[in-house]
Amino acid sequence: MLSVQLAKDTFYAALQARIAAGNPARTVVVRGTVRPGVVVAENELPGAAVDGIAPANAFCLRWTGLSVDSKAALPLISQTCEIRYATDGSAGNGGMDRGRALAAMDAELATAISTAPQSACSLLVAEIAGGGASTEAMTGTNVFWGDVSFKPAVMRGERMERTAEVEVFSYGQ
């Protein structure tokens, strides 16, 4: 059966690559390393301030739902990916551009998810012991996803936040 983790890793890698291509300046520093501005809460150290909205100006993925439809010849695995993000606006504008900054992030996310194809060849990601690097190999199967849906923006103090959701699908073998 196609691994649930394999589908999560593939979607993350595809989204991260698309966000980086669309806005190379959207980066985040995690444990001293600068990388494209997409993180997965479950993959980070506890207390790393990524389970939720922080860090600002980055997309934080959390997997919140899972279902398996085993009625067909191959089971269809469906997972809900919650994408949370926030902005404080820019210091140069005293944060008064929070709405524009959030709208820019909305557009980046919508473009990254809706750009065809809304699928990616499954990647088998393996950590290299001790080095923190990873290797990727294609498995010959696909992961595909639907359109993104956006929840209303909310204000938390000076910060403007939004949550979006997308369904990610894969077939078992």
Side-chain angles (χ1 to χ4, degrees):
M1 183 158 142
L2 181 63
S3 164
V4 170
Q5 189 62 48
L6 182 70
K8 293 193 295 188
D9 291 345
T10 300
F11 179 74
Y12 162 67
L15 182 62
Q16 185 183 55
R18 289 176 179 206
I19 292 291
N23 181 359
R26 172 101 34 229
T27 60
V28 62
V29 178
V30 178
R31 294 188 304 275
T33 303
V34 177
R35 58 189 204 204
V38 181
V39 296
V40 180
E42 68 189 46
N43 295 346
E44 302 302 335
L45 294 172
V50 297
D51 186 26
I53 298 304
N57 303 311
F59 299 98
C60 184
L61 282 59
R62 291 173 19 125
W63 297 94
T64 60
L66 170 67
S67 66
V68 178
D69 181 353
S70 58
K71 294 178 188 122
L74 293 175
L76 177 64
I77 300 167
S78 173
Q79 299 180 75
T80 304
C81 180
E82 178 184 85
I83 305 165
R84 300 173 74 185
Y85 52 101
T87 184
D88 298 326
S90 64
N93 288 318
M96 299 301 288
D97 58 348
R98 292 182 305 267
R100 291 180 187 276
L102 191 69
M105 292 184 79
D106 294 341
E108 286 174 37
L109 184 61
T111 299
I113 290 176
S114 66
T115 297
Q118 283 182 256
S119 64
C121 187
S122 298
L123 296 175
L124 182 58
V125 180
E127 284 291 322
I128 298 173
S134 65
T135 59
E136 297 176 350
M138 292 186 187
T139 66
T141 60
N142 286 322
V143 172
F144 51 101
W145 51 88
D147 292 327
V148 64
S149 63
F150 295 91
K151 307 277 186 187
V154 296
M155 292 294 298
R156 295 201 198 284
E158 299 291 320
R159 181 168 282 189
M160 186 171 251
E161 305 174 351
R162 185 175 318 273
T163 300
E165 287 185 341
V166 63
E167 287 296 314
V168 178
F169 304 94
S170 56
Y171 284 104
Q173 296 178 335

